[in-house]
Amino acid sequence: MSDIRVPIGEVALSTASVYPERTPDAFELAARLGYDGVEIMVGQDPVSQDVEVLQRLRDHYQIPVLAIHAPCLLVTQRVWGRDPWVKLRRAREAAERLGARTVVVHPPFRWQRDYAKEFEKGLARMRDETDVVFAVENMFPLRARGNEVVPYAPDWNPVDYDFPDVTLDLSHTAVSGSDAMEMATKLGDRLAHLHLADGLGTTNKDEHLVPGRGTQPCAPMLERLAGSGYRGLIVLEINTRRAASRTERIEDLTEALAFARHHFAASSTAS
């Protein structure tokens, strides 16, 4: 007799994956290609910042918003104001209104001294106010002339810190030269969110390749998570900006989804 465990793992499309197309295009493509939902990368596209418009897109395409990526990038420093705590509160409010269960957040930049000093305690307070999960993402150091510069505080790597929920990004593990499988082992149940992408480990280059086109253990990671009963999201966050046409972009998004579906398979154990 066998006991079959079927992981829930929904596969979402990051709206960043369709750039230079816009947020509405991500909803349309996610619905057309069969993704389970979208992760909103809150950025300079005004639609990504407007919860009411996002609600209309969600309802029109019948595609749920499963996660919100807070505006933590250098290019989004002025999106939703300059106060990082305001950004996180607005991301949480957007998640609550849209029915998303996760907010992805980066570690603070080193120059955000007050924010960095209070980051762990502040996130803990915010967790007590909501059912939304705040998943801190692994980033990477920068390297130049043999030196390593870490632009994040307390570190680029959240694994060894007291964050109960972490986003593991496999393009970022490529840049940092990390062992992604070892990181997943250390995280255990704290691995709440997966950014699925690939990379070749090119110095200082965050490539976000289609899974299977780089050196990262994308397939083993998915198979491992499936076997462990992972219940977090799998988000395709790939770079299609160099696609020669919309057709080529759609082919990349289709290939990425097929890869995730294929390798995130049910795990069975004999009993």
Side-chain angles (χ1 to χ4, degrees):
M1 182 177 180
S2 64
D3 176 26
I4 299 177
R5 295 178 294 133
V6 181
I8 293 173
E10 293 172 295
V11 182
L13 177 66
S14 169
T15 56
S17 297
V18 307
Y19 184 83
E21 295 190 57
R22 300 301 183 96
T23 302
D25 302 300
F27 277 88
E28 183 256 316
L29 290 173
R32 186 202 301 189
L33 300 178
Y35 282 82
D36 295 314
V38 295
E39 175 175 300
I40 303 296
M41 173 68 81
V42 179
Q44 296 181 349
D45 177 3
V47 172
S48 72
Q49 306 169 28
D50 192 321
V51 175
E52 291 186 2
V53 176
L54 293 172
Q55 286 174 322
R56 292 199 292 271
L57 287 167
R58 176 198 63 189
D59 296 343
H60 175 74
Y61 287 106
Q62 291 294 288
I63 194 81
V65 176
L66 298 175
I68 303 291
H69 194 307
C72 306
L73 303 173
L74 282 173
V75 296
T76 60
Q77 288 297 289
R78 296 188 179 184
V79 173
W80 284 352
R82 300 184 68 90
D83 185 331
W85 290 115
V86 171
K87 292 173 184 283
L88 290 193
R89 284 195 293 271
R90 291 192 64 171
R92 180 197 68 196
E93 291 164 2
E96 290 171 341
R97 289 178 60 185
L98 291 163
R101 65 195 198 214
T102 305
V103 168
V104 177
V105 56
H106 291 180
F109 290 112
R110 282 197 171 277
W111 58 83
Q112 296 174 308
R113 294 182 181 178
D114 292 340
Y115 178 47
K117 183 178 179 180
E118 293 295 321
F119 187 60
E120 292 181 74
K121 292 181 180 178
L123 273 189
R125 286 193 298 268
M126 293 187 72
R127 286 195 302 270
D128 291 339
E129 300 169 354
T130 183
D131 291 331
V132 173
V133 168
F134 291 89
V136 182
E137 185 171 2
N138 63 301
M139 299 306 291
F140 48 85
L142 301 175
R143 296 181 175 89
R145 298 178 181 178
N147 296 317
E148 184 174 282
V149 177
V150 178
Y152 302 98
D155 197 3
W156 60 267
N157 184 2
V159 171
D160 293 328
Y161 291 85
D162 190 24
F163 300 117
D165 300 287
V166 172
T167 296
L168 183 59
D169 185 302
L170 298 188
S171 178
H172 295 174
T173 58
V175 187
S176 64
S178 304
D179 184 327
M181 300 298 283
E182 181 181 354
M183 290 176 74
T185 298
K186 289 182 177 180
L187 286 170
D189 291 341
R190 294 194 298 140
L191 204 175
H193 200 76
L194 180 70
H195 276 170
L196 182 60
D198 216 331
L200 295 168
T202 306
T203 301
N204 298 337
K205 189 173 182 181
D206 189 14
E207 296 165 295
H208 284 276
L209 303 177
V210 172
R213 298 184 185 177
T215 61
Q216 294 307 287
C218 296
M221 180 67 70
L222 289 168
E223 290 159 5
R224 173 184 181 149
L225 293 180
S228 67
Y230 176 72
R231 293 297 187 267
L233 287 175
I234 300 163
V235 179
L236 271 303
E237 191 182 71
I238 62 174
N239 184 347
T240 67
R241 70 187 64 187
R242 292 187 178 179
S245 64
R246 194 169 206 250
T247 297
E248 185 175 317
R249 174 169 295 111
I250 290 171
E251 289 173 351
D252 284 349
L253 297 176
T254 301
E255 179 182 332
L257 177 59
F259 185 100
R261 296 272 194 231
H262 175 70
H263 291 287
F264 194 85
S267 175
S268 62
T269 57
S271 62

